[in-house]
Amino acid sequence: MSTASAHKQTVPYSKDTGTVYNILFIIGLCHLLNDSIQSVIPAMFPILEKSMGLTFTQLGIIGFALNMVSSVMQPVVGIYTDKRPLPYALPIGLTFSMFGVLGLAFAPSFLTILISVIFIGLGSAVFHPEGSRVAYMAAGNRRGLAQSIYQVGGNSGQALAPLITALILVPFGQFGSIYFTIVAAIAVAFLFYIAKWYSGRLQLSASSMSKGKSVRKQQQSTTISKAIRHAIIIIILLIFARSWYASAISNFYTFYAIDKYQLSIAQSQIYIFIFLLMGAIGTFIGGPLADRFGKRNVIIVSLLATVPLTLLLPFAGPTLAMITLAFIGLILMSSFSVTVVYAQELVPGKIGTMSGLTVGLAFGMGAIGSIALGALIDNIGLTPTMVSVSFLPLIGILAFLLPKDQTLVDWQKGN
């Protein structure tokens, strides 16, 4: 039995091999809108640092609150909805985010900012595992491409953070975030359409799910093998390396560029935009590359090939830094969607759980990285911190210990 057929048994609603592109593009667009809302938070860091006099540690705590709430809740949502899918949780989750953004625009203190950020984190926690499930349901036999379409929407939304800062937050300040209530409302409207399709798909597959119930229960009760547990631990370490480095760039490199190159806030955002934009492109091309060259190979290259570039970045001039950040973003993020698909194939039938674990873990690691790096900058300074994090991609050498793609197929045959 192939990996694909294993998934067909464990998730009957995926048995239709036709790829539903309109649903994939809509859920990808909603991912873009959701993550553009999230990107408002780090984009506000330079504004809050000046207007409220917040320390780097306090800014790190804000990033920690956003990402930790999302990361902790994502696998919880995934585990629950693997058993009881909730189509209309998608628009409800984005409604939480809408209220969070509204509160952020009027927040008068550090505490109220944290509360607003928690609402945004909750909305994101609901969206990500269920959005990934929708992408899986609409994928047919093209799971790599489907996951890339879905994930590139999110990374594109994150790439908007520098533009948000330069075009909205710099001229309008904190209150400028209120415009993102409109973004949230648009996302909610799209997600009602998605939820209707999702619900109809579940109803059509009700009989198939009933027939496959005993199969799923048997697989769910099977203890994950030692080899799979080891592979999951390695994936966690790789996500740690990628997320901490990305957190250092997206949250704090703007301060480094301002200090080293004597730039304005708006000018410094160009560097972050380049990194995130190329990261979005890397996310998109990673899936097709993995389909051709193997998921494990893409994961290995995405980390280790960036090492010379990350080591160069702290010592590069302003122009070379832009070019270096572009290549780092392109290569490093090429494994983002690939990691999700790899994890889903490690534990078939747990689509929401593994998506929540991998994507949620990325948020969680970014959260811990945000607060840890903020404290590190406060204690040893910007330059030493940026030099230190440049070694993180070396952890990618552990990817050689991951089972090969063919091994995953053999494990599925064994089931």
Side-chain angles (χ1 to χ4, degrees), residues 30 33 90-92 94-95 98 183-193:
C30 289
L33 297 175
L90 284 164
I92 291 172
L94 258 292
T95 301
M98 183 167 63
V183 173
I186 294 171
V188 169
F190 277 124
L191 288 173
F192 269 111
Y193 174 81

Side-chain angles (χ1 to χ4, degrees), residues 21-258:
Y21 284 102
N22 67 317
I23 293 297
L24 285 176
F25 287 126
I26 292 173
I27 197 65
L29 175 61
C30 289
H31 200 181
L32 184 152
L33 297 175
N34 177 83
D35 283 26
S36 69
I37 293 170
Q38 277 191 266
S39 71
V40 172
I41 309 304
M44 287 184 69
F45 280 4
I47 307 298
L48 296 175
E49 190 256 347
K50 287 186 176 296
S51 64
M52 289 189 174
L54 300 183
T55 65
F56 284 108
T57 301
Q58 287 176 311
L59 295 176
I61 291 172
I62 293 171
F64 177 85
L66 172 68
N67 294 323
M68 186 54 68
V69 169
S70 176
S71 67
V72 169
M73 291 301 297
Q74 276 194 51
V76 173
V77 172
I79 290 169
Y80 183 85
T81 56
D82 274 337
K83 298 177 181 178
R84 302 176 184 85
L86 299 173
Y88 286 91
L90 284 164
I92 291 172
L94 258 292
T95 301
F96 273 94
S97 296
M98 183 167 63
F99 283 116
V101 175
L102 184 63
L104 193 64
F106 296 98
S109 66
F110 176 65
L111 179 60
T112 50
I113 287 173
L114 282 179
I115 294 171
S116 299
V117 161
I118 287 171
F119 269 85
I120 295 172
L122 286 172
S124 180
V126 173
F127 175 82
H128 281 97
E130 282 299 271
S132 184
R133 187 190 308 280
V134 168
Y136 184 89
M137 291 171 67
N141 287 330
R142 308 194 70 181
R143 289 200 303 272
L145 175 63
Q147 195 63 226
S148 286
I149 292 173
Y150 171 66
Q151 296 294 350
V152 77
N155 284 15
S156 298
Q158 294 169 19
L160 293 175
L163 297 182
I164 291 168
T165 301
L167 301 178
I168 298 176
L169 298 180
V170 169
F172 296 104
Q174 180 182 340
F175 182 74
S177 63
I178 198 170
Y179 292 107
F180 288 87
T181 58
I182 300 173
V183 173
I186 294 171
V188 169
F190 277 124
L191 288 173
F192 269 111
Y193 174 81
I194 290 287
K196 184 178 179 180
W197 176 86
Y198 182 171
S199 181
R201 198 66 179 257
L202 290 176
Q203 290 174 9
L204 288 173
S205 64
S207 60
S208 297
M209 291 181 71
S210 177
K211 292 177 183 178
K213 186 176 181 181
S214 61
V215 175
R216 292 196 306 277
K217 281 189 174 181
Q218 181 181 2
Q219 289 186 344
Q220 288 169 3
S221 64
T222 301
T223 303
I224 298 176
S225 70
K226 185 177 180 181
I228 293 176
R229 287 198 300 269
H230 286 168
I232 292 174
I233 291 172
I234 293 170
I235 288 173
I236 289 171
L237 292 172
L238 298 177
I239 291 174
F240 156 76
R242 187 181 65 211
S243 298
W244 271 51
Y245 187 82
S247 178
I249 299 299
S250 60
N251 289 336
F252 299 113
Y253 191 81
T254 181
F255 299 103
Y256 182 80
I258 290 170

Side-chain angles (χ1 to χ4, degrees), residues 238 241 303-304 306-307 310-311 389-398:
L238 298 177
L303 284 158
L304 294 184
T306 60
V307 172
T310 59
L311 293 175
V389 299
S390 66
F391 290 92
L392 283 171
L394 278 170
I395 294 175
I397 198 170
L398 294 176

Side-chain angles (χ1 to χ4, degrees), residues 269-288:
Q269 296 304 302
I270 297 173
Y271 292 81
I272 312 303
F273 175 70
I274 289 173
F275 172 75
L276 296 175
L277 176 64
M278 296 304 290
I281 295 172
T283 297
F284 180 74
I285 66 175

Side-chain angles (χ1 to χ4, degrees), residues 370-390:
S370 180
I371 193 168
L373 292 169
L376 193 63
I377 292 171
D378 282 336
N379 283 279
I380 69 173
L382 276 166
T383 299
T385 299
M386 288 299 165
V387 172
S388 298
V389 299
S390 66

